[in-house]
Amino acid sequence: MTLTVYGASLSPFVRKVRVFLAEKGEAYTLEQVNIFPAPDWFLEISPLKRIPVLRDDSEGADATLPDSSAICGYLEKKFPSPALYPQDAFQYGKALWYEEYADSELAGNIGMGTFRPMIVNRMMGKEADRETADKTFNEKLPRFFAWLDKEIGAKDFLVGGAFGIADIAVGTQFVNLAHAGFRPDEKTWPNLARYLAAIHARPGFAACIEEETALLKKFGL
Ligand SMILES: N[C@@H](CCC(=O)N[C@@H](CS)C(=O)NCC(=O)O)C(=O)O
């Protein structure tokens, strides 16, 4: 296998790359890396100590690339079909904006505010912090849900009438929210709930969700 993804399966950014590769129909090996703490060899390929990192042996012995956005941009150039970024210039810009929105604020609030207190805590042998998770879900996340619900409206995909990077970046963060035990209420945000159900049912997402759910079960979560 020439492509290797270094990371851990519950990371939303690792899942982003895995779903991207699945949609491209490209096979890869997932090499699990524990980043708490990251081993020395990993710091050499990930100076910010973050997962994921992609290795592409077809590009030479040291061909590694950190950061999910850099990796997806690279994979799009290397494997152009099916296109996962819009061709139209403005739609392309919009897709990058949704990706940024998901990777920064949405990820921060879901990750630190729900996934860490409910899942990471328990995986590390600590008590779940339900108070923090409930507070995040009830007070911080509704404005993200409302904005996304409005952006999606009656559409199937966020940008350009086709599934792509924006849907992968947004969809992956909501998998972590679901792992933490929370979903946007379908009566309050019906467009978002319908959209997420459809995105998560795609084979790339469904395979990751199934694998991760089994992993969480092994931890008794
Ligand atoms: N911008 C990066 C973010 C990656 C990221 O934050 N990964 C987390 C795991 S979900 C990580 O490696 N955290 C370890 C740390 O920050 O030390 C990307 O898109 O790949």
Side-chain angles (χ1 to χ4, degrees):
M1 205 88 67
T2 62
L3 295 173
T4 303
V5 177
Y6 294 96
S9 18
L10 292 168
S11 155
F13 300 100
V14 171
R15 187 185 311 109
K16 182 180 157 195
V17 168
R18 296 184 75 191
V19 171
F20 197 96
L21 282 163
E23 291 281 345
K24 290 282 182 193
E26 291 300 325
Y28 63 92
T29 303
L30 176 67
E31 195 158 316
Q32 300 279 346
V33 181
N34 184 348
I35 45 163
F36 300 115
D40 286 346
W41 65 265
F42 185 69
L43 297 184
E44 283 179 27
I45 60 172
S46 182
L48 297 179
K49 287 194 259 181
R50 293 194 183 128
I51 49 174
V53 171
L54 178 79
R55 194 177 86 218
D56 185 349
D57 290 335
S58 74
E59 297 288 335
D62 299 322
T64 57
L65 195 56
D67 191 273
S68 67
S69 301
I71 294 168
C72 291
Y74 164 68
L75 291 171
E76 181 75 2
K77 289 263 184 210
K78 177 117 185 189
F79 308 108
S81 180
L84 293 175
Y85 290 78
Q87 297 302 313
D88 174 81
F90 187 68
Q91 297 299 317
Y92 176 77
K94 286 277 281 188
L96 296 186
W97 150 242
Y98 284 122
E99 182 186 19
E100 167 59 19
Y101 175 90
D103 287 1
S104 56
E105 291 296 304
L106 187 61
N109 279 288
I110 289 177
M112 298 307 284
T114 67
F115 188 77
R116 181 177 279 254
M118 292 306 294
I119 303 292
V120 179
N121 268 19
R122 284 145 88 197
M123 287 180 110
M124 292 181 149
K126 291 193 235 157
E127 288 284 301
D129 178 359
R130 177 158 279 282
E131 198 184 324
T132 297
D134 281 342
K135 202 169 154 60
T136 302
F137 184 67
N138 293 320
E139 294 175 19
K140 291 193 177 161
L141 291 176
R143 76 182 164 91
F144 291 91
F145 299 161
W147 187 76
L148 285 168
D149 189 77
K150 178 174 69 62
E151 290 294 300
I152 290 151
K155 301 193 300 265
D156 290 331
F157 308 113
L158 277 166
V159 192
F163 181 82
I165 186 67
D167 306 302
I168 297 174
V170 168
T172 192
Q173 299 302 333
F174 280 90
V175 175
N176 283 68
L177 184 68
H179 285 331
F182 299 96
R183 282 173 203 281
D185 178 55
E186 61 182 40
K187 289 207 179 68
T188 315
W189 301 289
N191 301 324
L192 178 60
R194 170 193 53 79
Y195 163 80
L196 289 172
I199 295 296
H200 289 164
R202 293 178 74 90
F205 265 118
C208 285
I209 292 168
E210 190 182 326
E211 182 189 303
E212 292 168 30
T213 305
L215 179 70
L216 287 170
K217 223 174 186 171
K218 257 175 59 185
F219 277 91
L221 298 169

